Amino acid sequence: MAGPASRSSAQKAPSSRSGLLRCIAITILVLVVLTGLAVLIIWLVVNPRRFQYTIEDGLVHGFDLNHNHLNASFDFAIRAYNPNSKVSLYYDSIEVYVAYDDQTLAMDVVKPFFQPHRNATRLEVKPVARSVPLLDSVSEDLRLEKTSGDVELVVRVKARIRFKVGAWKSTKCTMKATCSPVVLHLSSSKVFDRTYCDEDF
Ligand SMILES: *[C@@H]1O[C@H](CO)[C@@H](O)[C@H](O)[C@H]1NC(C)=O
Ligand SMILES: *[C@@H]1O[C@H](CO)[C@@H](O)[C@H](O)[C@H]1NC(C)=O
């Protein structure tokens, strides 16, 4: 009588194993679909939108080039706008760089602050270049631009930020924005043209 019993249990084993596998596969599939749905719903509710940076005003004083060294005092008003209605931001640090042909001329920092949702904050930065050594080519090109009365620079914003959605806070992320060309008029009579920045996360 041992024969048929062992045969029937041997027949049963593979079908119950494939049943278990199917059950695990379905459970995983359901979890994946539910996770996807949850992410989609959170995304739709939070509706994240890009932060916007604009250079509203720019000035330079004491722009002097001598023996491939630069002295200049820059003055920028940057508008940082958070268009989100559910995301607020902690700016833990903001660095603003002024560059020409990939060569950094000056930088300044902004004090850490918290930006509520749907808020525009005006940041004032005053990067100073004091006897900054320049490459020959950079010095020559800047000299030519100075003669024309306008210099075209690049302003880069680099920030360490954390998001806040409800009570949840993200870990620190790096946000970078590039504003180009920022045209500064050496004769103070001309009005600064607002420059929009491209944010690259
Ligand atoms: C920049 O300013 C320093 C004094 O702060 C001066 O010694 C230097 O000659 C100046 N350089 C230029 C290029 O004007
Ligand atoms: C943005 O927030 C800052 C401080 O957090 C506040 O001083 C400023 O008035 C706010 N701006 C707007 C447009 O709500």
Side-chain angles (χ1 to χ4, degrees), residues 99-139:
Y100 184 88
D101 277 1
D102 289 335
Q103 175 158 16
T104 301
L105 305 178
M107 73 89 79
D108 196 9
V109 297
V110 179
K111 267 192 263 154
F113 67 99
F114 174 72
Q115 185 170 44
H117 54 81
R118 289 256 169 83
N119 174 274
T121 299
R122 190 180 161 96
L123 310 171
E124 300 278 350
V125 288
K126 296 180 191 300
V128 174
R130 197 167 286 129
S131 296
V132 174
L134 303 176
L135 296 171
D136 287 356
S137 60
V138 169
S139 177

Side-chain angles (χ1 to χ4, degrees), residues 42 130 137 143 160 188 198:
I42 290 171
R130 197 167 286 129
S137 60
R143 195 186 315 279
R160 294 285 284 166
S188 55
D198 291 320

